[in-house]
Amino acid sequence: MPVVRLPDGSERGFDAPVTVAQVAASIGAGLARAALAGKVNGRLVDTSFLIDTDSDLAIVTDKDAEGVDLIRHSTAHLLAYAVKELFPEAQVTIGPVIEEGFYYDFAFKRPFTPEDLAAIEKRMAELAKRDIPVSREEWDRDEAVKFFESIGEKYKAELIAAIPAGQTISLYREGDFVDLCRGPHVPSTGKLKAFKLMKVAGAYWRGDSKNEMLQRIYGTAWANKDDLAAYLHRLEEAEKRDHRKLGQQLDLFHFQDNAPGSVFWHAKGWSLFQDLIAYMRRRQTEAGYEEVNTPDVMDRSLWEQSGHWFNYREHMFTTQTEDDRVFALKPMNCPGAMSMFAQGIKSYRDLPIRMAEFGKVHRYEPSGALHGLLRVRHFTQDDAHIFCTEDQMEQECKDVVALILDIYKDFGFDNVRIKLSTRPDNRIGSDETWDKLEGALAAALDHMGMPYTLFPGEGAFYGPKLEFVLRDTIGRDWQCGTLQVDMSLPERFDLTYVAEDNTRRRPVMLHRALFGSLERFTGILIEHYAGNFPLWLSPVQAVVMCITDNQAEYAAQVTEALKKQGFRVQSDLRSEKITYKIRDHSMKRVPYQLIVGDKERAEGKVAVRARGGEDLGQMSLDEFIDRMQGEIGG
């Protein structure tokens, strides 16, 4: 008779095989009501799953990440159920979980309208309220194909027919609706309490543009209505903070069709961009990096040696010269760094060498994937390549992690998650090498007391990596910095250093990016701050405005005095009403507005208005300079 071991270490014995739901009920009525699924020996299963041998069991509820994904998966099926009730001629295809939601693709004779979506959502709510049981059934493959063909679901029949013959497949039934699925699912539709349909988009069957176009309905689902409301509020905030709109409003940058995926930086945007580089240059110099620069265009042979030509060719921009040489715009800075290290003989005394580069890289991204500054074809990486001995590897990893986290704090990112991605199936290098590299990253984090999440199999083909995920002010996550350890590229480029015993040894190479793409990080900052940059980053830190033409000369003098102190200041001498000027510069998110009238001119002062509308009153120019310097220094 089975013994069930629970996460708290306790055990429960049963006289007969028992379902997950029955185990939950034996623990308490509250847990029985909350149970959505179970994890039996690490495998996610339905609450109806029968446990007939000694097993480890964790009850999954909506408090667990797996529980929320389960809710989203089941809500996708609820969507399909509602569509079939309202539009019987529609055919269902696939409906997976995606980040923060789900979608389902349908074949239907006409486009779904916003009114259709409202009706579908209403029917979903009705079906959920009826608390219809969801049950798993196992079918023979050929019987399932015949069944779906008989009810006119040719797409489902095609999917099932692709499964090897003789296999048993699982279907899930809720009411009159039956769908192909591996599961698991929530035990009944009543568990689905907080969802909303978001939009309709086109999608090709099986993602192939040669196939017919389907209609994809996107939705979101959450554990409760409060979480749903919070998510919808984040979407509203994200819309207000859209960096593409703010970039135009603040006169930072633009894009145009004849240079897709490439940024046209305006003067204010370029000022912001250069401030980021200057900040990073200072921090890297303090941390012992030396800055280098490598060519943007290099011969095909170099990319063959690095392996990019064979693994990344479709993303590279290439050109051929009259003498038949093939060149590529660099998609990565690594081969250039290899070539830099290879120049001259290196000794163990020279290591570690920390080589930083603000390298311009070019990658072909499909036009449909381009998204403002967040996804471009031409961008700048704050790359660094650290060459060190194996003994130095762990300390260098710790130093990089500490530097990354400290830099993020300077930009207001205190909530940072770290992901450790380990060896993939398709990899190069021996297991012994991978053990060393993964061990160095894990040990660095452990010794620093830094928590991390393990992602087995998600590393690069040449080495494991750390990814740093920032959470912004409205709760969105952004993957930015990376740290990778690599012993393969040094091998490919035959890099060596002279060891203490005069033998030649391979260096370990660390690939490191802090912001990642500066263009993308700029887009993230615009949305994080909603355009209200801290004073030190603001492209225009203050604007001096005269009330009438009588104060224009004094306003210009104030502007020049502030510029001589190193501040980025503009004067607004337009013959417009002061209320208009204040509103205009408030829309442009300028941190300080200095208003000068006859009184201020006579007393040699300025009336200061802070961003957000706070009136700071009159102050002398020296007082204002002290305030600015204190704020920037702080």
Side-chain angles (χ1 to χ4, degrees):
M1 296 300 101
V3 173
V4 175
R5 295 177 291 272
L6 300 172
D8 63 1
S10 63
E11 295 183 349
R12 288 176 177 261
F14 296 89
D15 295 332
V18 62
T19 65
V20 170
Q22 289 170 330
V23 176
S26 75
I27 297 172
L31 185 60
R33 288 191 296 270
L36 299 178
K39 285 184 79 171
V40 177
N41 299 324
R43 176 188 162 209
L44 200 62
V45 298
D46 297 297
T47 57
S48 61
F49 181 84
L50 196 65
I51 302 172
D52 56 7
T53 60
D54 294 354
S55 301
D56 296 321
L57 170 65
I59 305 297
V60 176
T61 72
D62 63 16
K63 306 296 183 188
D64 302 304
E66 296 103 325
V68 177
D69 279 348
L70 200 67
I71 286 170
R72 290 171 179 157
H73 186 190
S74 296
T75 307
H77 279 234
L78 186 68
L79 163 62
Y81 188 179
V83 167
K84 289 296 291 183
E85 283 212 339
L86 292 172
F87 309 99
E89 294 180 6
Q91 294 188 62
V92 297
T93 63
I94 58 170
V97 172
I98 56 176
E99 186 176 3
E100 299 182 321
F102 60 89
Y103 69 78
Y104 216 116
D105 290 347
F106 299 93
F108 192 47
K109 59 187 178 183
R110 64 166 177 81
F112 288 119
T113 66
E115 292 75 20
D116 291 335
L117 252 61
I120 294 167
E121 189 176 303
K122 181 180 178 182
R123 181 58 61 91
M124 290 170 67
E126 293 168 357
L127 294 172
K129 190 174 181 180
R130 284 163 52 188
D131 198 23
I132 301 166
V134 179
S135 58
R136 176 187 173 94
E137 301 176 2
E138 293 189 347
W139 288 45
D140 173 75
R141 186 204 72 162
D142 293 339
E143 289 180 4
V145 170
K146 290 178 183 177
F147 169 74
F148 282 102
E149 287 177 340
S150 72
I151 61 174
E153 295 286 357
K154 70 171 188 177
Y155 295 93
K156 286 292 179 187
E158 182 180 326
L159 287 171
I160 298 169
I163 298 172
Q167 283 198 18
T168 299
I169 63 168
S170 58
L171 305 181
Y172 278 80
R173 183 185 298 275
E174 45 196 280
D176 297 328
F177 179 67
V178 180
D179 203 357
L180 170 72
C181 190
R182 284 179 295 188
H185 278 280
V186 298
S188 67
T189 60
K191 303 293 185 185
L192 310 176
K193 301 172 182 176
F195 51 81
K196 184 172 180 58
L197 299 184
M198 306 302 292
K199 63 178 180 179
V200 182
Y204 293 107
W205 168 235
R206 293 196 165 186
D208 189 338
S209 60
K210 296 178 182 178
N211 292 335
E212 57 268 48
M213 177 71 76
L214 306 175
Q215 296 186 70
R216 176 169 295 176
I217 298 180
Y218 285 93
T220 188
W222 297 83
N224 54 64
K225 292 185 177 179
D226 286 344
D227 288 349
L228 173 61
Y231 171 71
L232 296 177
H233 176 69
R234 286 201 302 275
L235 290 184
E236 291 176 8
E237 280 296 308
E239 179 68 20
K240 295 176 189 175
R241 294 164 179 261
D242 188 323
H243 74 279
R244 294 166 298 179
K245 294 179 181 178
L246 287 173
Q248 183 175 6
Q249 180 181 326
L250 303 181
D251 192 24
L252 301 177
F253 60 85
H254 81 273
F255 292 88
Q256 57 191 54
D257 291 341
N258 52 14
S262 299
V263 189
F264 288 80
W265 288 106
H266 299 190
K268 293 176 183 176
W270 192 240
S271 169
L272 171 62
F273 192 87
Q274 290 301 313
D275 277 347
L276 291 176
I277 288 180
Y279 168 86
M280 184 63 74
R281 183 170 280 136
R282 175 177 62 82
R283 294 301 306 266
Q284 290 184 154
T285 299
E286 292 169 351
Y289 289 81
E290 54 187 11
E291 187 176 330
V292 301
N293 187 262
T294 61
D296 292 341
V297 181
M298 291 181 273
D299 189 89
R300 166 179 174 167
S301 60
L302 190 70
W303 303 109
E304 290 178 343
Q305 188 174 1
S306 69
H308 289 99
W309 192 262
F310 308 106
N311 294 295
Y312 206 75
R313 171 67 186 83
E314 67 275 14
H315 298 294
M316 296 170 67
F317 290 96
T318 61
T319 185
Q320 188 167 344
T321 59
E322 290 183 359
D323 58 356
D324 291 332
R325 290 188 69 181
V326 176
F327 293 87
L329 282 167
K330 63 179 177 183
M332 291 151 184
N333 296 306
C334 316
M338 300 288 115
S339 301
M340 293 288 285
F341 185 90
Q343 290 298 301
I345 298 173
K346 303 295 188 298
S347 162
Y348 70 94
R349 293 187 179 91
D350 299 317
L351 305 184
I353 293 174
R354 306 181 187 97
M355 196 181 295
E357 179 177 12
F358 295 103
K360 289 284 189 181
V361 297
H362 299 75
R363 299 179 186 176
Y364 177 75
E365 298 281 0
S367 57
L370 301 177
H371 183 76
L373 297 176
L374 303 180
R375 194 76 175 268
V376 291
R377 290 176 175 172
H378 168 223
F379 57 97
T380 307
Q381 284 189 315
D382 61 340
D383 256 347
H385 295 89
I386 301 170
F387 299 90
C388 63
T389 68
E390 287 188 32
D391 291 341
Q392 294 167 335
M393 176 169 51
E394 183 181 325
Q395 185 59 49
E396 289 300 310
C397 290
K398 288 159 67 172
D399 290 345
V400 169
V401 171
L403 179 63
I404 287 178
L405 296 179
D406 192 51
I407 284 173
Y408 290 159
K409 283 182 181 178
D410 282 352
F411 290 90
F413 296 109
D414 295 314
N415 189 339
V416 181
R417 292 185 295 110
I418 302 175
K419 298 161 58 174
L420 170 56
S421 299
T422 57
R423 68 194 75 181
D425 292 335
N426 182 23
R427 62 182 183 269
I428 58 177
S430 67
D431 285 342
E432 180 184 6
T433 296
W434 279 87
D435 288 342
K436 288 179 184 177
L437 301 181
E438 290 172 355
L441 288 178
L445 296 173
D446 290 340
H447 292 159
M448 297 175 74
M450 300 298 306
Y452 60 90
T453 305
L454 191 64
F455 283 77
E458 296 296 318
F461 71 93
Y462 55 81
K465 63 181 176 179
L466 299 182
E467 295 178 316
F468 296 82
V469 181
L470 317 180
R471 178 156 293 176
D472 69 12
T473 50
I474 60 173
R476 296 173 301 175
D477 288 339
W478 304 91
Q479 190 276 309
C480 289
T482 57
L483 171 61
Q484 297 168 291
V485 285
D486 179 10
M487 296 179 75
S488 297
L489 276 182
E491 179 79 26
R492 280 178 172 267
F493 282 82
D494 194 26
L495 300 186
T496 62
Y497 67 92
V498 179
E500 195 169 0
D501 60 2
N502 286 322
T503 60
R504 292 275 187 166
R505 296 188 188 173
R506 297 262 182 243
V508 178
M509 184 173 73
L510 277 59
H511 305 249
R512 183 237 69 186
L514 302 178
F515 294 154
S517 156
L518 269 84
E519 284 77 2
R520 182 171 179 270
F521 194 76
T522 302
I524 293 169
L525 287 180
I526 293 171
E527 299 198 3
H528 177 62
Y529 292 122
N532 297 306
F533 300 112
L535 185 62
W536 70 275
L537 267 181
S538 294
V540 177
Q541 295 170 324
V543 62
V544 185
M545 300 178 284
C546 56
I547 295 177
T548 70
D549 291 344
N550 292 336
Q551 305 93 37
E553 184 178 350
Y554 176 61
Q557 290 171 358
V558 170
T559 301
E560 288 307 309
L562 291 171
K563 284 182 176 179
K564 287 179 180 178
Q565 293 293 321
F567 299 120
R568 295 186 291 274
V569 184
Q570 293 180 346
S571 56
D572 187 345
L573 308 180
R574 292 176 295 174
S575 298
E576 300 282 358
K577 290 183 178 180
I578 194 64
T579 52
Y580 174 84
K581 294 181 183 181
I582 290 172
R583 184 170 62 253
D584 184 33
H585 294 293
S586 296
M587 291 291 291
K588 292 175 180 175
R589 274 62 165 185
V590 178
Y592 287 105
Q593 299 179 26
L594 309 184
I595 302 165
V596 295
D598 288 338
K599 183 179 179 181
E600 286 78 19
R601 182 185 62 177
E603 297 178 0
K605 293 185 177 181
V606 290
V608 182
R609 181 185 176 91
R611 186 166 50 200
E614 182 184 3
D615 186 356
L616 301 178
Q618 285 188 338
M619 60 181 72
S620 69
L621 200 54
D622 286 342
E623 288 176 313
F624 179 68
I625 290 171
D626 287 344
R627 180 185 181 92
M628 293 269 280
Q629 290 174 338
E631 187 173 336
I632 291 173

